Structures are given as C-alpha cells and as structure tokens.
Amino acid sequence: MRYEGHMKRTRTILALLVSSVLAGCGGTAQHVGGAGGTGGVGGGGGDDGTGGNAGPLLPATAQVGTYIALGDSISDRGGASPYFYELLNTDLGSKFPAMTYVHAAQQNAITDVYSDKQPADAPTLESQIAALGHDYPGDVVVTISIGGNDLNAHSLQAISNTDTALRAEFDAHLAAELAELTAPGRLGTGHVYVVVANIYDFTDGMGNFAAVGCGPGVNISATAVQTGFGHWNDVLKSNVAKISGASLYDMYADFHGHGYNNPDKTQLWFDASTDPTVCLLPNAAGHDAIRRSIYRILTGDTL
C-alpha cells in the first residue's frame, strides 16, 4: 500500500459547558487537509453486532481501491487507540491489496456552518469533502462519523424541543454533502460506498451526566435526552436512506448498554477520564466495536 501525506491542522476538542444539556459523540494513509471529531464484538443494536445494520453493502464484484475516513473526533484520534479507522484500513487492505487510504477527518468537525454560527470556527464535513481529489483508484469506501458536535452545540434547543429550524439546517447540510460525495465521477471512475455513523449517548439514554461524571454537571430527564438524540439521529437516518450505495451504522444502538450506567465496567466502550473532552470518546474496546460493525456492514463478514 502506498502513503501520500502532508501536515493537517488539528484542533482541541471543544470544552463542554455546564449549561450544555446533551453531549454528542461528539492501506497506508493519505492525509487530506480540510476545514474540520471504541473491544467487544456486537452491541446493543442487534444480534448481528452492527447496531442492527447487517451487510453486505459491497457487492461481490466490488474492487475497492480506496478507503476514505471523514468526520469528527471519533474518526480523528478521539479516545484511546487503536482507532477504528486504522483497524478498518488494515482489515480492508487485507481483503483488497494495494488499497489507498485517505484520512481527512478532523477533530471537532460539524456538518457545516449554522445560521447561529455555533459552534464557532469549527471544522466542517463540507470542507473535508471539497478538499478530496477526483481520481481515486477503484471503488471507494467512505466512512463518516458526524453530528455529535452539531447536536452538542445546540443542546439547549434540543432539550427544550425548540430545535426544528436547526435540525432543518442539519438536514440541508447532510443532503448537500452526501450528494456531492456520491455524485458520479466526483471521486473517480469507481463506485462509491458510504457508511455513516449516527450519534451515541454515553449515559445509555438516562441523561444523568452529573451522576456518571462525564459531560455537563447536571442530570437531565431520560425522556428529554432520548427525544433529543432521536430527533437528530432521525435526520441522519433519512439522509442516508436517500443515497444509493450508502448504509447507516446505528452507533447509538450499538453503544447502548456500554455507557457509564452499566455497572459492569468491563463492558464500557468509552474512555473513562476526568477530562470532559475525553470521557465522551471511545476507548479501545469501543473503537474495536465500531471497526467490527462497519466491516460487517460493508462485507457481511464477521471479524
């Protein structure tokens, strides 16, 4: 496998404020600059270990020549290594020799700029896609983790159910970006296959952030938290459903039961830390679960 790279700018993870009421999840490598945020097998979303999304997305005739990782901190050194996208690159490279790997994800990324300019100066998925080349070899696999920072920046509106207009912006961002990414010829002459992860909740739907010691120092009702995550994840689900050759990885379901409310800490898939910018990210077990689930979605095979 070949390596093509250059320096990319990194950013620290945005600090969670106590006033926040939801916390999002928030080959060889070719690093692409752009404006730009986990072991167990299986998960809470289904017996197949893919969060309820069984494969295969790739047809038997697929000749994958490129793997591109886009998105936020989960896809850019967030949490504890080894990271899912590096593991997945090795897995896919074993199946498709000479595959090119493109890492373009950036910490703190959101879909695109919102009308309220929140979060300020955040990297964007839109810019990551714009910076991609146009002639990648073979069929192209793209993984995207996005939405957690979008939700976290608008958590007050989400918890009070006044986020309709903001979710409409989220919807428009995703629609435009997925359309651009999968436009014929945009990435090359091969087929494009996209797996998009939705937003997980490290409280397992309970909203007791203060009690688990991660995120804002307040406890929110389970109903409000589940509604907030549900609304934003519905936007992700509906947009992925519109794209031929795309699949949703239900990371919310996959990680449910592996958060801080599980008394069996051997089942924890988050990076337990007193640092509020770290505790909401996947640990090594969580990243391994993501890698295994996405590989199953893509190939139908179990690692």
Side-chain angles (χ1 to χ4, degrees):
M1 298 181 185
R2 59 190 173 88
Y3 182 94
E4 302 173 14
H6 63 74
M7 293 295 292
K8 66 181 172 60
R9 182 169 52 139
T10 60
R11 297 171 182 257
T12 57
I13 301 172
L14 297 175
L16 292 172
L17 302 177
V18 172
S19 60
S20 297
V21 291
L22 290 176
C25 321
T28 54
Q30 175 189 77
H31 290 279
V32 176
T38 132
V41 180
D47 293 336
D48 53 32
T50 66
N53 291 275
L57 177 62
L58 297 176
T61 56
Q63 295 296 319
V64 176
T66 306
Y67 167 42
I68 301 174
L70 302 175
D72 54 23
S73 298
I74 296 172
S75 298
D76 187 25
R77 296 166 293 124
S81 64
Y83 306 117
F84 89 85
Y85 50 91
E86 294 177 341
L87 296 168
L88 184 62
N89 174 49
T90 300
D91 298 331
L92 291 173
S94 296
K95 190 175 182 68
F96 302 101
M99 186 186 72
T100 295
Y101 170 41
V102 181
H103 182 262
Q106 294 171 290
Q107 294 184 7
N108 307 329
I110 59 175
T111 50
D112 205 350
V113 179
Y114 285 81
S115 58
D116 64 358
K117 308 302 181 184
Q118 297 300 315
D121 301 319
T124 67
L125 178 61
E126 187 278 333
S127 292
Q128 292 174 25
I129 294 171
L132 293 174
H134 294 77
D135 58 352
Y136 296 111
D139 296 330
V140 181
V141 167
V142 183
T143 60
I144 305 174
S145 61
I146 201 70
N149 295 313
D150 303 64
L151 172 56
N152 185 57
H154 303 105
S155 55
L156 291 175
Q157 296 93 331
I159 204 70
S160 59
N161 203 25
T162 58
D163 61 343
T164 301
L166 291 163
R167 282 187 281 115
E169 292 187 58
F170 184 48
D171 180 72
H173 294 167
L174 286 167
E177 289 153 9
L178 292 176
E180 168 69 12
L181 185 67
T182 59
R186 172 61 185 84
L187 299 179
T189 59
H191 296 285
V192 177
Y193 302 96
V194 184
V195 178
V196 181
N198 63 7
I199 311 166
Y200 57 31
D201 172 14
F202 56 80
T203 71
D204 300 319
M206 296 182 65
N208 56 339
F209 301 107
V212 302
C214 184
V218 292
N219 294 321
I220 308 301
S221 76
T223 298
V225 167
Q226 291 168 22
T227 298
F229 276 99
H231 283 164
W232 287 71
N233 278 335
D234 282 346
V235 175
L236 283 156
K237 181 179 180 180
S238 65
N239 275 280
V240 172
K242 298 173 187 176
I243 302 297
S244 176
S247 181
L248 181 77
Y249 165 41
D250 192 352
M251 190 163 62
Y252 179 94
D254 208 14
F255 272 61
H256 190 81
H258 295 281
Y260 292 108
N261 280 300
N262 189 332
D264 182 359
K265 298 310 176 187
T266 66
Q267 293 299 308
L268 182 65
W269 286 1
F270 292 91
D271 193 4
S273 171
T274 57
D275 185 340
T277 68
V278 173
C279 62
L280 52 77
L281 293 165
N283 60 14
H287 272 294
D288 185 59
I290 296 174
R291 160 258 196 135
R292 291 174 184 272
S293 293
I294 294 179
Y295 188 83
R296 176 79 180 272
I297 291 171
L298 287 168
T299 68
D301 296 331
T302 300
L303 290 170

